[in-house]
Every structure is written in structure tokens, then in C-alpha cells.
Amino acid sequence: MNMDSDLQIAGDLMEVPHLLQPEREHPVTVAEFAGLARELAADPAQWAPHVEYDATSRWYHRLRTGPGYEVWLLSWVPGQGSGLHDHGGSSGVLTVLRGELTERTDRGVRTLRPGAQRVFAPGYVHEVANDSLEPVVSLHVYFPGLTEMPMHESPQGRCAPAAPETVPA
């Protein structure tokens, strides 16, 4: 320590209240929303009792809301998909909880396994589907809350296929 300095710090810096960041009740940054999704994914007691499957359409349940965000739980039986869409003015975090989803964009195809997360900005266009033979459960955080989901159509009716890219859990 330089003893010639006019500034010397004594004691524990963490005890100086104005230097501590207050703990937030709700997430506000992209990293905090991704963290919320990971926290929920790691605790099946918070989401597993709400899971249902519907053979006619994707099933969904609003799991949580907060100031400026929503958390949705979705289930997908084999063959169900979202169609090519974006999320209007909302950003989002998609987290696979159980099973395997396929995400198609104009940049290619990804396989999303349990624990995989996709973070996207407003205007991100993709198609998500259960191309597997098993049911899938996923968690979706939208901020601000989802108010629109414009559908898109590519010349082929879906995003162009490309070499699959597997996203590890």
C-alpha cells in the first residue's frame, strides 16, 4: 500500500452502504432475464405442476408476470410448431426445460436441448417446432410483455434449411 497517498481506506468497503447495489425485486437487464429463466428451469417445483399437453395445439400457461415482463410455460407434442414469426416489440429468452426443440431461421437450423437458451431482440424472425418423437416443455420470458406475434411467410413456406447446429445444454 502506498502510504504517501492522501486517500487511505480503512475497514471493510462492503460496509459502506452507498457503495452497495440494492437487490432488485424484478429483472431489468437481458442478463437478469436470462438468469430468471435459468433459475426457474433449475426448479421444476415451480413449473412442472403446471405442464399439460394438448394434441390439437401448443399448450401455454402464463407462469409469472412482473413490471414489464411475462414468463410463459409452453408444451409441444410431436409435430407441433410455432410457424415463422417474430415477437413485435418484445425481446425474449427461450429456454428448453424438457425434450428437444428445433429452431429455424434464415441463418440455419438449431437443435435446442434441455438447458439451451436463445436470447433474441425485437424483430427476430424464427420458427420453433417439436420435430422429435417426445413431448417438449419450454419456458419463454418476454420483455416487455408479449402484445403481438406477427406471422411471416418465406418463399418456401418456412425458413430455408441449412446444416443443423446443435446447441449444447
Side-chain angles (χ1 to χ4, degrees), residues 9-166:
I9 298 172
D12 184 355
L13 274 179
M14 299 310 287
E15 292 297 322
V16 182
H18 70 278
L19 295 177
L20 298 176
Q21 291 286 349
E23 188 172 320
R24 287 196 265 265
E25 184 178 350
H26 297 283
V28 295
T29 67
V30 172
E32 289 172 344
F33 285 112
L36 170 63
R38 282 191 304 275
E39 176 186 307
L40 290 168
D43 187 2
Q46 291 193 51
W47 55 266
H50 304 286
V51 174
E52 295 181 27
Y53 296 99
D54 185 332
T56 59
S57 67
R58 286 177 298 141
W59 173 91
Y60 51 92
H61 169 77
R62 187 166 35 198
L63 195 60
R64 181 184 292 185
T65 61
Y69 72 94
E70 298 177 320
V71 180
W72 290 88
L73 185 65
L74 276 73
S75 69
W76 319 63
V77 298
Q80 290 179 337
S82 66
L84 191 59
H85 69 282
D86 70 59
H87 302 91
S90 299
S91 295
V93 179
L94 179 160
T95 305
V96 177
L97 303 176
R98 188 184 293 158
E100 210 175 83
L101 285 173
T102 302
E103 181 191 37
R104 293 179 183 85
T105 69
D106 60 354
R107 302 176 107 189
V109 179
R110 286 186 174 83
T111 300
L112 306 172
R113 295 196 170 95
Q117 283 191 310
R118 296 290 292 148
V119 176
F120 50 87
Y124 179 71
V125 178
H126 68 161
E127 176 182 30
V128 181
N130 179 359
D131 292 338
S132 74
L133 298 176
E134 300 295 325
V136 177
V137 180
S138 58
L139 185 78
H140 304 248
V141 181
Y142 298 108
F143 46 99
L146 193 61
T147 58
E148 61 179 328
M149 197 172 105
M151 300 305 289
H152 297 261
E153 190 170 325
S154 71
Q156 297 84 23
R158 67 181 344 176
C159 289
E165 174 187 333
T166 299

